[in-house]
Amino acid sequence: MERTIVTLVGKDTVGIIAKVCTFFSGNNMIILDNAQTTVQEYINMMMIVDTSKYKGSFADLTEGLDVVAEEVKCVIKAQREEIFDMMHRI
């Protein structure tokens, strides 16, 4: 399994989660875990996504998420799990 950490931050509006989930499902990716916090009108979401069946490169994935981010007017970032783990080791 190839896991990717995806974060989304921005102003909450109707359809944000639907657009992100549509992108994932359209590219054979499964959301394994999800945590979300909404404070007033702002959303902060972190997802662990199985990208092992994704056909494109990691650069393609980040470019696709950039397009979704522009549509929903949020910041969406992706990191490979091993990089995320190394950055957060004590």
Side-chain angles (χ1 to χ4, degrees):
M1 183 179 316
E2 188 175 320
R3 294 167 24 142
T4 301
I5 310 302
V6 178
T7 57
L8 177 148
V9 178
K11 217 167 196 178
D12 195 10
T13 58
V14 174
I16 288 176
I17 296 170
K19 287 195 183 217
V20 173
C21 291
T22 298
F23 174 79
F24 290 149
S25 68
N27 287 287
N28 295 316
M29 293 182 260
I30 299 169
I31 299 171
L32 302 171
D33 203 353
N34 175 40
Q36 171 186 328
T37 303
T38 305
V39 178
Q40 293 184 9
E41 70 267 18
Y42 296 96
I43 184 171
N44 185 347
M45 186 164 53
M46 180 177 174
M47 297 160 278
I48 301 173
V49 182
D50 179 0
T51 54
S52 57
K53 293 182 181 177
Y54 179 63
K55 301 290 185 206
S57 67
F58 191 79
D60 295 334
L61 172 61
T62 59
E63 287 174 19
L65 288 172
D66 287 344
V67 171
V68 175
E70 190 173 313
E71 290 175 9
V72 298
K73 297 179 180 24
C74 288
V75 175
I76 303 175
K77 297 294 178 190
Q79 274 188 314
R80 290 187 175 99
E81 182 182 39
E82 58 272 13
I83 302 297
F84 183 86
D85 287 345
M86 290 299 234
M87 288 177 57
H88 295 90
R89 278 176 59 184
I90 296 177

